[in-house]
Amino acid sequence: MIELTDVTKVFTLTKDQRKIVGSAELRPKLFTAVDSISLKCNSSKVFALIGPNGSGKTTTLRMISTMISPTSGSIKINENDVAADGRSARKSIGFMTNQTALYDRLSPYEMVKYFADLNSMDRTVFNQRCEKIFESLDMNSFANKRIGTLSSGMKQKTSIARTIIHNPDIIVFDEPTTGLDVMTSRSIIELIKNSKEEKKTIIFSSHRMEEVQSLADAIGVIYNGKLIFSGTKNDFESLEAEPKSYDDTLINLIDQS
Amino acid sequence: MNIIISIFLKELIDVLRDRRTLMFMVVIPVLITPLLVVGSIKFQEYQNKKSDEKILKIAFINETDDVIIKGFLSEQKGVEIIEDISLDSLESGIKTDSIQGGMYIEKEFLSKISSNNTGIINIYYKSSDLMSRSKKRMKDALENYKKTVVAERLTNFNIDEKLLEPLDIVDVDMSTAKETIGKAVGGFIPYILVMFIFLGAMYPAIDLGAGEKERGSLETLLSSPATKFEITMGKLLVVSLTGLVSGLVSVLGISSSLFFIDNIPEQIQSTIMELINPFMIFSVIILMIPIAIFFASMLLSISFYARSFKEAQSLMAPLNMVIIVPLFLSLGPGMEIDHATALMPLINVGLLTKEILAGSVEPIYFIETLCSLLFFAAVGIKFSVYWFNKENTIFRV
């Protein structure tokens, strides 16, 4: 379970960043990327975080994954405060983006073994889990080839194996299918569905509303750092009097805020 | 600790499979350094030989009846005397490089010499023509003539030549060959060593910092249970090791080049072999470790800050100058290791290596230098950990 309470993230801007953010007259030194957001993602549920670019989705997901710390507020992973014990929190998290984020000079086996070592996995447990994952993803034929020589589909499978090797309770996906082809996107969607069946907590950000519609149990809409909506998929759909597309509902929500 | 080891081993495998890193770490120091050393010595030898063998055209304008000077000039090796030439043609010939030198003896020259006065001879040459030895050959000829005239004059006055030589200065150099060669080569060795530590550490540092950002793998690494301290330390160890190996390999490369240089006198060869002893190797390696750590921490910090491989490269380029300047200073005249210079990073390495190679190092300066380098290495580690912990550094937009 993931629980965010009044989480705020303020960045100190560099001189160059100040020119981009804000007008010429008003160039703030600080930028509030996430403003007092509270949300809860329950186990066995898929939470979709949606909103336009630059609204604060990635910052929120990075804070959940403890890559960056919130300026104020608290984040709990399985009821443990991440500020107090970031390492334990990270042990229960798998993080994935649309980039495969692999090392070309390693083999898929070495890549997965590296992340198992970082998670201090027992050798026997690793061997069993690695065998199971490689089997289910049909990776054995290229397990010992250099990643740099693999096709994008093979790389994506390696990335999936790396994300779930330590059997995390929580999986964080930051725009996992953006820019990917249909086949590769499908393997990610399968991963999300399988993870849900395995009673894991899933939070993902996306711009693809058809994915949100098919995968999400709960939806959070974030705009200008503020959470302007949080509720179940039904709550989101009920926002409009007549049935409308998720895109329209999102645009209406943003317009009203 | 296990996580640091895991990161270290993974990064080491990754780096050792990178052709570019291997190129800078092993291939260049092993092959290029000896090629550069041997090549430049051989080229210099060839140029000297060519210069010695070159026949120089020397215009000779003599307005007297003297034939002795011409005789001395024609005795010089590689001189072709050109007579019957005007002064204007001599000057224009030198300017256009059709002749390499000229000598003009004025009309009153012989009368001045015979009346015990000073005769004037003009010699013409181009100082910008570095290959030409016309000035030396003309001066050698005139020096021989001068000696003859002086001897003649002294005989005429019944003066013993020894009267003009009241002192016979005998040089007794108490330096051993080891000290002389050690101090001469000692300035050059740390220069090569430090540059190769830097070069060997540079590419792995870029790959392990900015490279991770470019691949997008930094985020996944940060979301793993490894702390930022563990990630920094694992990477730092690998970058330090590659720098260290590169430095050691460069010394091997320089040493191996000695086998390809002929004409080294046996005594010098045996002295060089005496210089490369276990104490020297051990001392230099001990000094190299903190240098490699310090460079690794600085390079990694820059790499963590850079958004891309390219930006990291351009940010690291000026560091070359920061390294070269103190090493260059250590080569300056009068620079000796003392309690102050032993604390100055890199200057102390340059000065101490000279002493180590000459076999005249004092333990206190070795300890002071080592402490100074360890201090800077510790500051470097502390800084890179602090730097990697800064969100603005690793998620710089």
Side-chain angles (χ1 to χ4, degrees):
Chain A
M1 190 184 73
I2 306 166
E3 194 176 354
L4 276 72
T5 313
D6 269 336
V7 171
T8 297
K9 180 67 189 176
V10 179
F11 287 110
T12 308
L13 300 178
T14 62
K15 220 174 181 181
D16 290 338
Q17 287 168 336
R18 270 180 237 164
K19 287 176 190 168
I20 302 164
V21 181
S23 62
E25 302 81 36
L26 187 68
R27 286 179 180 163
K29 283 186 178 178
L30 300 173
F31 174 70
T32 306
V34 171
D35 194 358
S36 296
I37 69 169
S38 300
L39 58 88
K40 200 172 178 180
C41 317
N42 293 316
S43 303
S44 317
K45 300 284 178 201
V46 178
F47 190 100
L49 202 56
I50 57 175
N53 282 336
S55 58
K57 301 186 297 294
T58 297
T59 304
T60 306
L61 297 181
R62 281 177 177 173
M63 284 192 287
I64 292 170
S65 311
T66 79
M67 282 181 227
I68 52 176
S69 312
T71 309
S72 63
S74 85
I75 299 172
K76 285 182 178 173
I77 302 281
N78 293 338
E79 297 187 352
N80 296 315
D81 195 333
V82 297
D85 189 0
R87 194 197 286 273
S88 299
R90 288 195 295 274
K91 275 192 175 180
S92 36
I93 291 174
F95 184 84
M96 202 174 176
T97 67
N98 60 329
Q99 283 182 292
T100 50
L102 303 169
Y103 303 104
D104 281 354
R105 295 184 289 269
L106 297 189
S107 68
Y109 176 80
E110 287 168 334
M111 183 82 214
V112 174
K113 173 82 173 59
Y114 176 47
F115 273 79
D117 289 341
L118 294 180
N119 280 283
S120 311
M121 274 180 86
D122 178 74
R123 180 94 193 170
T124 325
V125 177
F126 164 72
N127 286 338
Q128 286 167 356
R129 189 147 172 84
C130 186
E131 202 178 321
K132 190 181 159 195
I133 293 170
F134 276 42
E135 190 69 45
S136 66
L137 291 171
D138 197 17
M139 288 176 65
N140 287 321
S141 60
F142 59 88
N144 293 310
K145 287 185 180 169
R146 295 264 175 102
I147 289 169
T149 64
L150 302 180
S151 68
S152 55
M154 290 167 173
K155 284 181 182 173
Q156 200 59 50
K157 285 180 179 180
T158 308
S159 182
I160 292 170
R162 184 264 322 274
T163 309
I164 59 172
I165 185 66
H166 57 294
N167 200 11
D169 293 336
I170 291 153
I171 307 184
V172 180
F173 295 91
D174 187 12
E175 297 182 19
T177 57
T178 304
L180 299 182
D181 61 59
V182 183
M183 294 299 287
T184 320
S185 298
R186 185 167 290 177
S187 62
I188 308 265
I189 290 165
E190 284 304 311
L191 172 66
I192 295 175
K193 284 178 179 169
N194 293 341
S195 302
K196 188 184 169 186
E197 280 171 20
E198 289 171 14
K199 315 268 184 228
K200 296 184 190 302
T201 309
I202 295 138
I203 181 164
F204 79 103
S205 64
S206 184
H207 290 295
R208 292 187 175 179
M209 290 304 130
E210 68 280 6
E211 278 173 14
V212 175
Q213 196 167 5
S214 71
L215 295 169
D217 297 304
I219 295 170
V221 178
I222 192 164
Y223 180 62
N224 278 344
K226 288 188 165 69
L227 192 71
I228 55 172
F229 172 83
S230 182
T232 63
K233 195 160 83 172
N234 287 339
D235 293 340
F236 185 77
E237 286 166 0
S238 316
L239 286 171
E240 302 288 342
E242 296 166 27
K244 278 191 176 171
S245 72
Y246 273 40
D247 283 326
D248 290 339
T249 312
L250 176 67
I251 291 165
N252 284 342
L253 251 176
I254 289 168
D255 287 344
Q256 286 160 23
S257 67
Chain B
M1 193 63 192
N2 283 343
I3 289 183
I4 294 179
I5 294 168
S6 296
I7 295 171
F8 171 78
L9 291 175
K10 176 262 154 189
E11 300 292 12
L12 189 63
I13 292 170
D14 202 11
V15 155
L16 291 178
R17 287 178 185 170
D18 180 21
R19 281 187 200 156
R20 196 165 27 187
T21 303
L22 284 181
M23 189 83 158
F24 274 89
M25 196 169 75
V26 183
V27 180
I28 291 182
V30 162
L31 293 178
I32 307 295
T33 318
L35 273 178
L36 277 176
V37 173
V38 177
S40 57
I41 290 173
K42 294 273 179 195
F43 182 71
Q44 192 64 43
E45 278 175 6
Y46 168 75
Q47 288 292 78
N48 285 342
K49 200 178 161 196
K50 202 172 131 189
S51 179
D52 284 342
E53 285 171 356
K54 191 178 176 187
I55 305 290
L56 303 176
K57 287 181 182 171
I58 307 282
F60 187 71
I61 305 173
N62 188 358
E63 295 190 352
T64 69
D65 301 328
D66 179 80
V67 289
I68 304 170
I69 295 175
K70 189 185 165 189
F72 279 124
L73 190 59
S74 57
E75 275 173 16
Q76 293 296 314
K77 201 179 151 193
V79 168
E80 183 192 331
I81 297 173
I82 297 171
E83 290 179 288
D84 299 327
I85 186 171
S86 70
L87 194 56
D88 287 342
S89 306
L90 181 154
E91 286 178 353
S92 64
I94 291 178
K95 279 178 188 165
T96 57
D97 294 327
S98 58
I99 51 178
Q100 286 74 47
M103 195 181 281
Y104 172 75
I105 305 171
E106 60 173 355
K107 206 172 183 180
E108 298 79 22
F109 178 77
L110 271 186
S111 60
K112 282 180 182 170
I113 293 292
S114 53
S115 58
N116 293 333
N117 283 318
T118 305
I120 296 169
I121 297 177
N122 292 340
I123 57 171
Y124 297 82
Y125 61 93
K126 256 184 169 177
S127 61
S128 57
D129 185 2
L130 300 174
M131 278 293 289
S132 170
R133 302 209 168 164
S134 61
K135 181 187 172 188
K136 186 182 180 298
R137 288 177 194 176
M138 287 188 288
K139 278 211 158 181
D140 285 350
L142 291 174
E143 201 59 42
N144 290 339
Y145 175 74
K146 192 172 136 187
K147 277 180 193 164
T148 317
V149 173
V150 170
E152 213 171 90
R153 284 182 181 181
L154 291 174
T155 313
N156 289 343
F157 286 101
N158 283 329
I159 297 169
D160 189 347
E161 276 183 50
K162 285 184 180 168
L163 197 73
L164 296 179
E165 297 289 348
L167 294 179
D168 186 5
I169 301 166
V170 181
D171 289 342
V172 184
D173 187 357
M174 297 300 287
S175 301
T176 60
K178 187 181 169 189
E179 283 174 333
T180 312
I181 297 172
K183 293 240 175 176
V185 182
F188 175 66
I189 295 271
Y191 192 82
I192 297 282
L193 201 72
V194 169
M195 282 314 293
F196 274 104
I197 294 177
F198 181 79
L199 282 176
M202 195 167 92
Y203 273 97
I206 296 176
D207 193 38
L208 270 51
E212 288 258 27
K213 277 190 187 180
E214 235 175 34
R215 282 189 295 269
S217 51
L218 189 64
E219 279 181 306
T220 43
L221 185 60
L222 288 170
S223 68
S224 78
T227 60
K228 285 174 183 159
F229 172 77
E230 288 165 336
I231 295 170
T232 312
M233 288 311 291
K235 287 174 182 287
L236 196 74
L237 284 173
V238 173
V239 178
S240 307
L241 186 67
T242 53
L244 199 61
V245 171
S246 174
L248 280 172
V249 171
S250 72
V251 176
L252 272 176
I254 297 167
S255 311
S256 67
S257 63
L258 293 174
F259 295 103
F260 300 100
I261 304 169
D262 352 293
N263 309 332
I264 299 180
E266 209 172 295
Q267 197 203 343
I268 294 181
Q269 248 179 7
S270 63
T271 309
I272 291 171
M273 287 304 150
E274 199 188 326
L275 288 175
I276 307 168
N277 57 58
F279 170 74
M280 173 273 200
I281 294 169
F282 176 76
S283 311
V284 172
I285 291 175
I286 291 288
L287 291 179
M288 278 164 67
I289 294 171
I291 298 173
I293 295 173
F294 178 68
F295 282 172
S297 57
M298 289 300 106
L299 291 169
L300 256 185
S301 301
I302 293 173
S303 186
F304 286 146
Y305 177 75
R307 292 185 196 93
S308 64
F309 216 92
K310 211 171 168 186
E311 190 186 1
Q313 270 178 315
S314 58
L315 287 172
M316 283 173 189
L319 264 189
N320 269 315
M321 287 307 294
V322 179
I323 294 161
I324 289 169
V325 170
L327 285 169
F328 191 71
L329 283 176
S330 72
L331 295 172
M335 283 297 276
E336 292 286 336
I337 189 98
D338 55 32
H339 293 299
T341 52
L343 299 176
M344 298 173 188
L346 294 180
I347 291 181
N348 53 11
V349 178
L351 296 173
L352 196 75
T353 314
K354 279 199 256 183
E355 300 293 330
I356 291 170
L357 288 174
S360 54
V361 62
E362 287 184 39
I364 181 71
Y365 294 137
F366 185 86
I367 293 166
E368 279 181 8
T369 300
L370 191 60
C371 287
S372 156
L373 294 174
L374 285 171
F375 170 75
F376 280 97
V379 170
I381 294 172
K382 184 100 182 142
F383 178 76
S384 49
V385 172
Y386 156 78
W387 198 237
F388 191 57
N389 265 294
K390 274 174 76 93
E391 289 170 3
N392 281 353
T393 305
I394 49 176
F395 291 113
R396 188 168 152 245
V397 187

